[in-house]
């Protein structure tokens, strides 16, 4: 299926009448995926609650195609997360066969280059989860949001 954003890939087992799990937009380059995905996730209406994700794994962005893009075998997941204390974090994750944290950091730099270029001494927390997603997390807003 084609869309204005690129090809949509469907993954998941549909045998036995099961529903498809993900429909992920595919792009030719990491930079193209970045333009599309960052435009979506930086809109406050798409921000996610950290606490709700902790309570319900189905709310995590790695479970939701709206927060993901694909470039060949590389899957990219990005979101903005807000804590109950109104701290705001940017989370960008990568997953691919044989992907290492060093190579994922190269993808991060390419992904952010046009919108949020990496600067020397910028600090990112790096995590590798049980599904082999390599996550990069940093504070998105300098201080807590004011309600």
């Amino acid at each position: 299926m084609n869309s204005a954003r690129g090809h949509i890939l469907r993954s998941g087992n549909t045998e036995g009448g099961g529903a498809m799990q993900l429909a992920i937009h595919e792009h030719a380059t990491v930079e193209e995926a970045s333009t599309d995905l960052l435009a979506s996730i930086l809109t406050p209406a798409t921000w996610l609650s950290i606490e709700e994700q902790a309570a319900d794994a189905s709310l995590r962005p790695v479970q939701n195609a709206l927060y993901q893009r694909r470039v060949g075998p590389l899957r990219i997941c990005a979101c903005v997360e807000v804590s109950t204390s109104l701290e705001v974090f940017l989370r960008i994750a990568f997953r691919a066969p044989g992907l290492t944290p060093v190579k994922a950091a190269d993808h991060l730099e390419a992904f952010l280059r046009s919108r949020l270029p990496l600067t020397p001494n910028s600090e990112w927390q790096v995590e590798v989860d049980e599904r082999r997603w390599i996550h990069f997390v940093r504070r998105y807003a300098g201080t807590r949001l004011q309600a």
Side-chain angles (χ1 to χ4, degrees):
M1 176 178 191
N2 287 325
S3 73
R5 296 182 183 177
H7 300 282
I8 297 176
L9 295 180
R10 302 211 186 277
S11 62
N13 184 358
T14 59
E15 292 179 13
M20 290 187 191
Q21 295 176 349
L22 297 175
I24 302 172
H25 291 275
E26 183 174 24
H27 297 278
T29 66
V30 170
E31 293 82 359
E32 185 182 299
S34 169
T35 299
D36 182 33
L37 188 52
L38 286 174
S40 172
I41 66 135
L42 295 178
T43 304
T46 64
W47 293 6
L48 300 170
S49 162
I50 293 172
E51 288 76 11
E52 288 176 3
Q53 291 178 67
D56 184 352
S58 70
L59 298 176
R60 294 181 184 153
V62 295
Q63 301 294 334
N64 187 333
L66 295 174
Y67 296 93
Q68 294 185 46
R69 299 297 181 268
R70 184 183 296 262
V71 178
L74 178 69
R75 285 181 50 187
I76 304 165
C77 180
C79 68
V80 175
E81 300 173 317
V82 182
S83 71
T84 55
S85 62
L86 299 181
E87 293 175 294
V88 183
F89 299 92
L90 177 61
R91 176 181 297 270
I92 302 171
F94 301 92
R95 181 177 164 193
L99 186 64
T100 65
V102 171
K103 184 62 179 165
D106 292 339
H107 290 311
L108 177 68
E109 182 176 13
F111 185 80
L112 294 174
R113 186 175 295 130
S114 67
R115 190 102 181 228
L116 303 163
L118 294 179
T119 58
N121 299 320
S122 62
E123 293 184 25
W124 290 81
Q125 179 181 0
V126 181
E127 307 165 354
V128 180
D129 71 17
E130 67 280 353
R131 296 183 66 208
R132 299 193 156 214
W133 281 95
I134 300 171
H135 298 261
F136 296 89
V137 182
R138 69 167 289 195
R139 189 177 296 275
Y140 180 60
T143 59
R144 293 188 312 197
L145 296 175
Q146 299 297 312

